[in-house]
Amino acid sequence: MNLIFLGPPGAGKGTLAVKAVEILGVPQISTGSIFRTAIADKTPLGLKVKAIIDAGKLVDDETTIALVKERLIKDDVKNGYILDGFPRTIPQAEALAGFSKVDKVINFDIPDSGVLERLGGRRVCRKCGFNFHAIFNKPKQEGVCDHCGGEVYIRDDDKPEAVQKRLEVYRAQTAPLIDYYRGKGLLLDIDAKPMVDQIVINFKKAMGI
Ligand code: ADP
Ligand code: ZN
C-alpha cells in the first residue's frame, strides 16, 4: 500500500504517520525530517536548505524530487510506504507518478484556526522526531522526550512569521493537489480536527481496515 499524507502544516500528518506505521507495517518517509536531519548533520543538502526551510518556503522541486526518488529505491518500501510531506507541488506529483504508483492519498481536513493552535504549541524531539504540544500533549518532564530522552525543542519554522508563510505556501502550491488527486479517484478525506486517538479511528474507517 503506497500512501500519501496530504494536508496543511500542523494538520497532524507526522503524528498519525507514527501510528499508521505500526498499523500498516510500512515505513514513513517524511521529506521534512530528512531535511531536518541533513541540517543537524550540516551535510551539503542541509546547508543548502536551512535558510529556505527556516523562512517557511519550499525547497526547490528538483532537489526534493531527487531525494524522494532515491529513497524509494530502498528495500524497505517493497511492501509500501507513507509519504508525509511529499508531494507538495503539482510538478512533484507528476514526477512521482513517473517512478512510483500511488494507491491512496489521505487528505487531512482542518481549518486554519486548528493549524495555528497546533503549530503555536508544537514541540518536537530532536532525536526521534516525536511531536508534543505545550498544552495538549506535554512531555512528562519539560524539555525531555518521553520516548527516547532526546531534547524537546521548538522548530525554527514553527516561529510565528514562518508559520504564516507556510500557510500561504500551502494554499498556493500544495492545496491544488487535493483536486489533482480527487480527479484521479485516489483521495480519502479525514477530519483532522479531533485529538490523535480519534484521528486514528477516522483513518482506519477511511481505509476500511
Ligand atoms: P510541516 O508539514 O509541519 O509543514 P514538514 O516537516 O513536512 O513540516 O516540512 C518542513 C519544511 O521542509 C517545509 O516547510 C519545507 O520548507 C520543507 N519541505 C518538506 N517537504 C517538502 C517538499 N515536498 N517540497 C519542498 N519543500 C519541502
Ligand atoms: Zn524522542
Side-chain angles (χ1 to χ4, degrees):
M1 178 59 80
N2 296 338
L3 289 184
I4 291 173
F5 280 10
L6 180 65
K13 300 186 295 289
T15 305
L16 177 63
V18 172
K19 309 266 177 188
V21 162
E22 283 169 27
I23 297 167
L24 302 171
V26 300
Q28 169 196 14
I29 299 170
S30 157
T31 41
S33 306
I34 295 171
F35 290 138
R36 278 188 291 283
T37 304
I39 291 169
D41 294 346
K42 301 199 164 60
T43 66
L45 175 68
L47 296 173
K48 177 161 123 186
V49 302
K50 180 174 179 4
I52 300 170
I53 290 182
D54 287 353
K57 297 184 193 146
L58 291 185
V59 175
D60 67 278
D61 284 340
E62 197 188 342
T63 303
T64 311
I65 291 164
L67 187 85
V68 173
K69 190 169 180 188
E70 206 163 292
R71 179 63 185 82
L72 292 186
I73 291 168
K74 291 201 181 157
D75 239 24
D76 64 340
V77 302
K78 268 198 321 282
N79 297 321
Y81 54 73
I82 297 169
L83 271 181
D84 161 14
F86 182 93
R88 252 178 162 93
T89 64
I90 297 277
Q92 289 181 11
E94 284 172 344
L96 176 64
F99 56 81
S100 190
K101 181 181 166 293
V102 174
D103 295 309
K104 291 276 174 238
V105 178
I106 310 295
N107 179 38
F108 288 63
D109 195 11
I110 185 166
D112 282 3
S113 56
V115 165
L116 293 172
E117 184 178 73
R118 285 190 192 169
L119 291 181
R122 176 153 75 179
R123 303 289 183 270
V124 182
C125 173
R126 222 184 258 287
K127 216 162 123 198
C128 75
F130 190 89
N131 280 221
F132 295 93
H133 190 283
I135 298 160
F136 309 126
N137 182 20
K138 288 197 252 194
K140 289 195 187 75
Q141 190 188 333
E142 196 182 325
V144 182
C145 177
D146 296 352
H147 306 280
C148 77
E151 182 205 353
V152 173
Y153 79 120
I154 303 177
R155 277 169 41 176
D156 284 331
D157 62 343
D158 280 346
K159 313 243 154 93
E161 321 76 67
V163 166
Q164 279 304 337
K165 181 72 195 166
R166 281 157 68 207
L167 267 175
E168 272 169 39
V169 168
Y170 171 76
R171 280 199 212 94
Q173 308 219 55
T174 308
L177 290 173
I178 297 173
D179 283 341
Y180 175 87
Y181 282 121
R182 205 188 295 286
K184 296 190 183 302
L186 299 179
L187 206 76
L188 296 175
D189 293 292
I190 65 169
D191 177 9
K193 277 191 301 304
M195 300 297 284
V196 188
D197 293 349
Q198 182 60 42
I199 294 177
V200 173
I201 295 170
N202 295 353
F203 169 69
K204 285 185 170 169
K205 220 186 331 177
M207 294 281 294
I209 51 176

